[in-house]
Amino acid sequence: MTQAVAPSQALRINPVALRQKVTQQLDRHRNGDPYPVMVFRAEPTWPHDPMVLLPDARKARVVPCVSPLAVWEHLVVDRDDEVLVLLTDIPESRLGQGVRSRIFRQQVITVEPWDLVVDAFGAQVPDSALERESWAGEALLDAMPPAGWPKLSTRVLTRDVALRHLAAVRLGLERRGESADDLDVSALLRWSAEPGAVEAFGLLRPVEQDGLRRWLVEQFGRPARALIALVTAGHGADALPLGLVCDAVWTTSTPDAVRVQGRIDQYFGHLDDDAAVRGFADAAVQVVAGMVTARESSAHRQGQAVLHRAEELLLQFGAVGSAGHSAVLRTGFTRRVDDAARALLAGVADPALDAAVDSLSGHLLAESEAGRIHRIRMAQRLVRWLGVEVSPPASVADGVQRQIAEWGWVDLALHHVWAGDDVHPGLQQAFREIHERGQQRRRKLDGAFAERLAAWATAGPGNDGGLLTIENVLPAVVDPLIRAQRSVLLVVLDGMSAAVAVELADELSQQWIEYDPLGGRGTGRRRGVVAALPTLTAVSRTSLFAGALRGGDQANEKRMFDEGRWGQGARIFHKGPARGGAGEAFSEGLRTAMADPAQLVAVVINTVDESLSHGREGDEAGWQIKDLGFLRSLLDLAGSSGRAVIITSDHGHVLERGGEQVKAPDAASARHRTGPGPAGPGEVELSGPRVVAEGKRIIALWDPLRRYRPTRAGYHGGASLGEVTVPLLAYLLPNVTDVPTGWVPVEEQRPEWWEAGVPTPAAPAVAPAKTSPSTPKPRRKPPVVTGDALFDVPEQMPAPAAEPATGDGDLVAALLATELFQAQHGLTPRKVDQKKIEAAMRALLEAKGVLSATVLAQRAGELPARAGGFVITLQRIFNVDNYPVLSLIDDGRTVRLDVPLLRTQFGLSDGVS
């Protein structure tokens, strides 16, 4: 009996490789039948589409044949115009002469893997190292992508190139938008986190799995060895979360951590290689950090899932106690929140508090917990402010300007701290206590201000010392622009307080430059305006548009504005006329008015004021441009038409913060009454020419925790700093070169206690009205102001001679005398006058190293529109070897000088100050 011959192992071939081989054979042997029968020695399985389209548009039908009879049957049937491709693993000798005589080239075509692979890559020969990887030829044929392997420009196909492309396909890099060039340890870790990816790798033939494992470890070292060990042990899907756990456990040497390390080592299948684990953990941290901070929602969700699984693994390994220091895990974040809460509860502005908050901010989860971090920083700032000595306002002018320069920032911080925390008891307690302390201090300042306000209101306008009042905004600020034929947009954000202005101005500074329209040729600062009394829309807004103290409604405002001297065709748009129809940001009337440069356009936006009555959705404090109606679109239109922008309000407000209702039958608003009775607790009697009420007299609440009417989100009409103070913001776009006369860029607005590591002196009071130009500007303590001396609206005058602070001149002079500076200055393509450089460095030193780029340019004698180029030139001079002596912060809006690095780079000893 003849023994049957078992078929030898045949190669599996995929559609792309088969199409390539068929095309190659037909091109090399063109004589004969254009639609032959081709027999290939290959595994007789074909789970793909039986019809393959060839490059020359011919069709090939693929049929697997498991026996000689099956081959013969397909030879004798009639066929259409198509190439018939038969796949069989039967040796050619068993097919017989009759079969061979009817097939293409009278032979079975053998598929040699390396010939096909090399041809697919556009090379000619494989290198010897690749040929020694006997498993790789078939794997490369089987894994060939639909578009084929990329064509190489070299003659030799090397082992590393081929296996890198094979690994990229087997690991699915293309699904993530990556290529073989992106294959690294991070890509391997991202692959392990994809659902089903590790399982799919396990379905490859064992010989291919082994080959790829060896090559990956060879290429990417110990981190890959740790990952492969996890995959081999059946825990590859946990690679990323386990890497985070390892990062926490392997960076401490406590007895508990050492025990946990032993448990985790078993998870790796007894890897016993600490260096591999550490490298693997470092890579995992980088990958997860990228996921958590990614803009794409899918990557962010995946990162959060990894963090959640890592917490489960912490419990599984009993490693929670060893992970509290982690800068990645949620356990570490919670521990840092605990530390920050304890430091806040201590109530002292010391390095421990700053370190705790900075440590929390440096955690990976800080960005996704930005709201909580922001509130903690606000509480930290309040603690600093509470540690600073604060004197009561010396006058109405002093109080209003300090409300703009400092106390409005306090109010903003109080609003955010009031919003609180949703889950952490320690933070909740800290926020309550800090808010209570800050609120009580602010109430004392409001009470002192109310006393000054009562005396000032009684004295009348002849004794206001030039204080900018609401009815003088148009004559003093807007009218000079109109007379100079400047296009102006006046935006009235009804109810905007100093606290709202802080956040609004910070956001606007990303696109606009803020100016002091009354700065003359001195130092620019943000101005405050005194509202009319009572601080109601019907009084203060009407007085604003009338240019005189008046009361009235919207119709009165329009009539009085139209009758003013604000230029022919001045237009005012209230809520109704300003709003557009469907698909329009604002009305056609407003758009037409903005297009006429000769028109003064005034627009009232009621968003803030309306929120006081109806509340706002959500619990977050603060205001952004997107919250303020169509303000962003309106400002874009103003910028495109070249208008100067003035943003102000009619009055401020106080918010509901758990206050009490006081019974008052004569209440005319939530915060003032008109009866004859004397002022009681939290009240002040205001009378005189500035009071627009019957008998020129009211009684107003100064205590923000009291009201006369039922609870609302906020109130106005009273005599607190928050209600009486009106912010005045003025803006031009950076490209404007013809700055209006008297406009000066506003300097950095943040109070010194707002940022960590900065001295925290009391805020300076407003200087008396008539000060000699040679008198030094007070910087530390408010001057003694007698009576109600107030600041003047300054006239244009020559700038006082610069007097550098003690020691600064020596440092600047020594710097400019160095050979390195002279050499750097000589190398700049755009030569800048050395006097401008000297003025810029003095200004930075006087400002403790931080100054707005616009103000820096102005101090140096450059136009604000050229501030960007001027700063770049300074960086070319001072940033030797790219060390950041001068750096840009706040998205490029602010310049920071690193004085110690400046000394080091230019060889200036510490003795030069």
Side-chain angles (χ1 to χ4, degrees):
M1 182 175 179
T2 305
Q3 185 177 4
V5 179
S8 60
Q9 186 177 9
L11 184 71
R12 183 194 308 168
I13 191 168
N14 74 359
V16 178
L18 181 65
R19 181 175 182 266
Q20 178 182 330
K21 188 66 175 179
V22 169
T23 302
Q24 182 189 81
Q25 288 292 315
L26 291 174
D27 287 345
R28 290 177 179 176
H29 307 279
R30 293 181 179 274
N31 298 329
D33 187 356
Y35 299 102
V37 177
M38 308 177 73
V39 179
F40 283 88
R41 180 73 185 281
E43 187 176 291
T45 58
W46 191 254
H48 313 289
D49 187 341
M51 194 64 68
V52 175
L53 185 63
L54 302 178
D56 61 2
R58 279 184 286 182
K59 294 179 181 179
R61 180 178 298 277
V62 183
V63 180
C65 298
V66 297
S67 66
L69 180 60
V71 175
W72 181 259
E73 288 178 348
H74 285 90
L75 291 176
V76 297
V77 299
D78 294 332
R79 292 183 290 114
D80 297 327
D81 291 341
E82 60 186 22
V83 178
L84 181 61
V85 178
L86 305 181
L87 305 181
T88 185
D89 58 355
I90 301 171
E92 183 178 305
S93 61
R94 292 186 57 199
L95 292 181
Q97 186 61 37
V99 170
R100 293 198 300 271
S101 65
R102 293 171 177 259
I103 62 177
F104 181 73
R105 297 180 59 201
Q106 292 79 49
Q107 68 181 49
V108 175
I109 301 170
T110 302
V111 179
E112 294 293 342
W114 291 126
D115 289 344
L116 206 53
V117 168
V118 168
D119 186 66
F121 277 99
Q124 296 181 19
V125 294
D127 70 358
S128 58
L130 179 57
E131 287 187 305
R132 285 196 295 271
E133 301 285 356
S134 58
W135 60 272
E138 185 174 355
L140 284 162
L141 280 185
D142 190 42
M144 191 181 297
W149 294 116
K151 300 299 182 183
L152 306 178
S153 58
T154 58
R155 176 178 175 274
V156 179
L157 176 61
T158 65
R159 170 179 177 268
D160 285 345
V161 168
L163 296 189
R164 175 174 287 273
H165 283 284
L166 173 62
V169 169
R170 291 309 197 194
L171 301 180
L173 264 61
E174 186 178 294
R175 293 194 301 272
R176 300 196 301 272
E178 298 173 334
S179 68
D181 293 336
D182 300 311
L183 183 60
D184 56 15
V185 173
S186 296
L188 289 175
L189 287 168
R190 288 192 294 271
W191 159 77
S192 72
E194 288 190 351
V198 174
E199 291 80 359
F201 185 81
L203 298 177
L204 298 177
R205 286 173 297 178
V207 65
E208 183 177 354
Q209 290 185 51
D210 292 341
L212 283 175
R213 288 191 188 106
R214 288 195 305 273
W215 182 82
L216 290 170
V217 172
E218 175 189 316
Q219 288 292 308
F220 304 118
R222 281 174 157 161
R225 179 169 180 248
L227 174 60
I228 295 302
L230 278 177
V231 172
T232 304
H235 301 300
D238 275 339
L240 274 178
L242 186 65
L244 304 187
V245 174
C246 293
D247 174 68
V249 174
W250 259 263
T251 52
T252 184
S253 57
T254 64
D256 285 343
V258 172
R259 284 192 290 270
V260 172
Q261 290 173 16
R263 300 187 198 110
I264 294 176
D265 189 53
Q266 297 177 23
Y267 214 64
F268 281 98
H270 298 287
L271 178 63
D272 196 24
D273 186 345
D274 279 359
V277 174
R278 290 176 186 275
F280 162 73
D282 290 342
V285 168
Q286 293 181 14
V287 171
V288 177
M291 290 178 173
V292 172
T293 58
R295 293 176 178 265
E296 299 83 2
S297 58
S298 59
H300 181 75
R301 285 195 302 269
Q302 188 181 32
Q304 293 297 328
V306 170
L307 290 173
H308 180 74
R309 176 59 180 157
E311 294 297 322
E312 294 178 344
L313 290 175
L314 283 178
L315 293 173
Q316 177 180 324
F317 292 118
V320 174
S322 303
H325 65 283
S326 172
V328 179
L329 296 170
R330 186 164 293 278
T331 293
F333 182 81
T334 302
R335 180 75 58 84
R336 296 183 190 206
V337 172
D338 294 340
D339 294 343
R342 282 192 294 269
L344 288 172
L345 279 169
V348 179
D350 61 8
L353 173 58
D354 293 342
V357 177
D358 289 344
S359 176
L360 178 61
S361 300
H363 195 277
L364 174 64
L365 293 176
E367 183 173 340
S368 59
E369 296 275 1
R372 172 182 280 182
I373 303 294
H374 189 54
R375 289 190 289 274
I376 290 173
R377 283 208 176 275
M378 288 296 186
Q380 176 192 22
R381 288 160 175 159
L382 285 176
V383 169
R384 290 198 207 105
W385 178 68
L386 287 166
V388 175
E389 182 181 352
V390 177
S391 60
S395 65
V396 172
D398 182 31
V400 166
Q401 197 55 39
R402 289 168 78 185
Q403 176 69 9
I404 292 294
E406 180 175 10
W407 299 335
W409 298 72
V410 174
D411 293 343
L412 174 63
L414 286 169
H415 299 341
H416 282 278
V417 170
W418 172 269
D421 192 80
D422 53 353
V423 294
H424 197 284
L427 274 184
Q428 292 169 349
Q429 182 184 354
F431 287 166
R432 280 196 303 270
E433 293 185 8
I434 292 170
H435 186 275
E436 176 65 21
R437 292 171 58 201
Q439 186 180 62
Q440 290 305 318
R441 189 183 225 194
R442 281 291 287 110
R443 289 175 74 189
K444 292 179 180 179
L445 294 174
D446 281 326
F449 175 76
E451 294 178 5
R452 291 293 187 180
L453 184 65
W456 176 74
T458 302
N463 192 36
D464 62 5
L467 176 63
L468 187 61
T469 54
I470 196 69
E471 72 274 16
N472 287 323
V473 169
L474 285 176
V477 179
V478 177
D479 191 49
L481 296 174
I482 295 172
R483 285 189 275 107
Q485 298 183 337
R486 295 295 298 241
S487 299
V488 184
L489 169 65
L490 172 64
V491 180
V492 179
L493 294 177
D494 197 324
M496 177 178 66
S497 64
V500 175
V502 166
E503 291 189 303
L504 175 61
D506 183 65
E507 190 173 358
L508 286 175
S509 66
Q510 299 175 25
Q511 182 177 357
W512 297 77
I513 296 178
E514 183 180 359
Y515 285 85
D516 177 357
L518 302 174
R521 296 181 64 183
T523 301
R525 57 185 169 88
R526 189 174 299 159
R527 300 277 173 170
V529 181
V530 180
L533 303 173
T535 52
L536 298 175
T537 299
V539 173
S540 206
R541 200 173 77 190
T542 303
S543 299
L544 168 66
F545 286 123
L549 290 172
R550 297 286 187 274
D553 56 15
Q554 184 171 303
N556 297 126
E557 292 174 8
K558 187 177 186 308
R559 176 179 56 79
M560 295 176 185
F561 185 76
D562 291 344
E563 292 173 355
R565 61 180 187 275
W566 324 124
Q568 185 176 5
R571 298 286 305 278
I572 181 173
F573 293 86
H574 290 87
K575 180 177 179 180
R579 286 186 171 174
E584 297 176 327
F586 30 73
S587 68
E588 183 62 30
L590 175 54
R591 190 185 307 276
T592 302
M594 289 288 288
D596 185 353
Q599 285 190 333
L600 164 63
V601 178
V603 180
V604 177
I605 297 178
N606 301 89
T607 311
V608 177
D609 198 43
E610 289 176 348
S611 74
L612 303 179
S613 298
H614 307 297
R616 298 171 61 193
E617 292 186 7
D619 297 326
E620 272 304 318
W623 289 87
Q624 295 180 314
I625 295 178
K626 65 181 178 62
D627 303 320
L628 297 168
F630 52 74
L631 177 59
R632 184 184 299 279
S633 299
L634 187 62
L635 291 176
D636 289 344
L637 191 58
S640 64
S641 59
R643 289 181 178 265
V645 176
I646 307 293
I647 302 177
T648 190
S649 180
D650 48 357
H651 55 74
H653 64 263
V654 293
L655 295 174
E656 172 56 43
R657 292 294 180 254
E660 62 175 330
Q661 182 176 353
V662 179
K663 293 183 179 180
D666 58 341
S669 76
R671 296 276 295 166
H672 88 283
R673 58 189 180 90
T674 57
E683 295 179 327
V684 63
E685 181 176 344
L686 302 173
S687 61
R690 289 207 56 79
V691 181
V692 184
E694 185 177 352
K696 301 292 183 181
R697 175 189 176 278
I698 61 171
I699 293 177
L701 287 167
W702 59 261
D703 188 344
L705 295 183
R706 291 171 175 255
R707 64 183 189 278
Y708 296 129
R709 291 186 174 172
T711 303
R712 288 190 172 184
Y715 317 95
H716 57 92
S720 71
L721 278 160
E723 294 163 286
V724 173
T725 302
V726 173
L728 180 68
L729 309 176
Y731 291 99
L732 295 173
L733 283 175
N735 60 355
V736 174
T737 56
D738 56 334
V739 177
T741 302
W743 281 41
V744 180
V746 169
E747 290 198 8
E748 173 63 41
Q749 290 295 305
R750 295 180 179 89
E752 290 186 331
W753 49 263
W754 192 256
E755 300 298 338
V758 178
T760 54
V766 178
K770 296 182 179 179
T771 304
S772 169
S774 62
T775 302
K777 178 182 174 182
R779 297 187 59 82
R780 293 285 176 180
K781 295 182 180 179
V784 177
V785 182
T786 59
D788 279 299
L790 306 167
F791 67 82
D792 287 321
V793 176
E795 298 178 357
Q796 297 177 23
M797 62 180 66
E803 294 188 11
T806 302
D808 289 351
D810 293 337
L811 177 60
V812 174
L815 170 68
L816 300 184
T818 62
E819 292 185 7
L820 179 57
F821 168 78
Q822 296 296 334
Q824 291 289 105
H825 185 226
L827 291 174
T828 55
R830 173 179 174 260
K831 294 297 183 293
V832 177
D833 189 330
Q834 188 165 314
K835 291 182 179 179
K836 292 184 177 181
I837 298 174
E838 178 180 357
M841 299 306 289
R842 292 193 193 282
L844 279 167
L845 289 169
E846 290 173 2
K848 299 182 177 65
V850 179
L851 199 61
S852 158
T854 306
V855 174
L856 181 65
Q858 184 260 344
R859 291 284 191 88
E862 285 281 1
L863 290 173
R866 297 176 182 170
F870 179 64
V871 172
I872 290 174
T873 301
L874 292 180
Q875 289 181 308
R876 286 174 175 167
I877 295 172
F878 292 107
N879 291 0
V880 182
D881 295 330
N882 292 323
Y883 283 93
V885 172
L886 284 178
S887 56
L888 286 168
I889 58 176
D890 292 340
D891 295 326
R893 305 193 301 269
T894 305
V895 181
R896 173 183 286 164
L897 170 64
D898 187 329
V899 177
L901 187 56
L902 175 73
R903 292 180 183 276
T904 300
Q905 289 296 89
F906 286 84
L908 301 172
S909 67
D910 292 341
V912 180
S913 60

